[in-house]
Amino acid sequence: MAMRVALRCLSANFSRRPPQLCSAARTRLPWRSDTTRTHGTTSVLSAALKFTEKHEWVRVESGTVTVGISNYAQEALGDVVYCGLPEVGQRLEQLEEFGALESVKAASELYSPLAGEVTEINTALADNPGLVNKACYEEGWLIKMTMEQPAELDGLMDQAAYDKFIKSLEA
């Protein structure tokens, strides 16, 4: 059904008569002028994440920890042009520096949110460091690692606490 509507709209652009809008394009979305835009990091993907005060995020899936930087951090950095990441097998302590991101505006160190061993690095970032900007919670992840002390997760912020933390920085 949706394909038929799309084809009908597309074929209207190739006819000799003036183009007509399909019914979906004529629908106006309501705009509320009393809404304000917030600069949080909330998204469907970030809902299950934990965050550090250094703006790294952690997602735990089947015992593997994936680490990246938050949307707030990637926006502050600007266009990332280089990712320096650790070697697979490197053991990290919590809050230990493990790499760096360089952008056209600045450079920023990366800190391990948990203690553990690096099991994988995102090799796609070597050729395309801009993935950190385009999809920081998806393809722009940095490393995967083991988790030696699950209790360390309790010291990290959930989404609501991280949003509150960001607002305190902007105040």
Side-chain angles (χ1 to χ4, degrees):
M1 177 76 163
M3 184 62 141
R4 205 173 324 146
V5 170
L7 288 174
R8 201 174 312 135
C9 290
L10 184 64
S11 65
N13 291 329
F14 294 103
S15 66
R16 293 189 186 268
R17 60 190 158 96
Q20 297 194 0
L21 297 175
C22 65
S23 62
R26 277 188 237 127
T27 305
R28 291 183 49 99
L29 296 174
W31 174 256
R32 292 182 50 193
S33 61
D34 60 332
T35 59
T36 57
R37 182 168 184 237
T38 60
H39 298 285
T41 58
T42 306
S43 77
V44 173
L45 291 172
S46 66
L49 303 179
K50 295 283 196 165
F51 297 88
T52 70
E53 290 184 356
K54 302 278 187 187
H55 307 288
E56 283 87 13
W57 57 260
V58 173
R59 181 184 305 120
V60 181
E61 297 170 308
S62 304
T64 300
V65 176
T66 304
V67 178
I69 65 165
S70 70
N71 188 55
Y72 178 85
Q74 70 83 19
E75 284 179 351
L77 270 175
D79 295 334
V80 175
V81 295
Y82 173 76
C83 297
L85 299 175
E87 298 289 324
V88 171
Q90 182 177 344
R91 192 187 172 300
L92 301 171
E93 292 294 327
Q94 187 177 30
L95 301 178
E96 179 182 353
E97 185 178 325
F98 71 82
L101 295 177
E102 294 180 15
S103 73
V104 294
K105 294 190 327 188
S108 178
E109 291 79 22
L110 300 167
Y111 297 92
S112 180
L114 305 169
E117 183 178 314
V118 177
T119 57
E120 185 179 349
I121 61 169
N122 189 347
T123 55
L125 297 177
D127 293 330
N128 190 2
L131 285 174
V132 172
N133 298 109
K134 292 176 188 162
C136 62
Y137 298 115
E138 296 175 32
E139 293 88 15
W141 60 272
L142 303 171
I143 64 171
K144 293 190 179 186
M145 62 188 295
T146 61
M147 179 173 40
E148 290 182 2
Q149 299 176 25
E152 290 176 338
L153 280 173
D154 297 336
L156 303 179
M157 294 176 273
D158 63 10
Q159 183 66 59
Y162 183 66
D163 286 343
K164 186 175 180 180
F165 173 71
I166 290 172
K167 286 181 183 172
S168 73
L169 296 176
E170 295 173 345

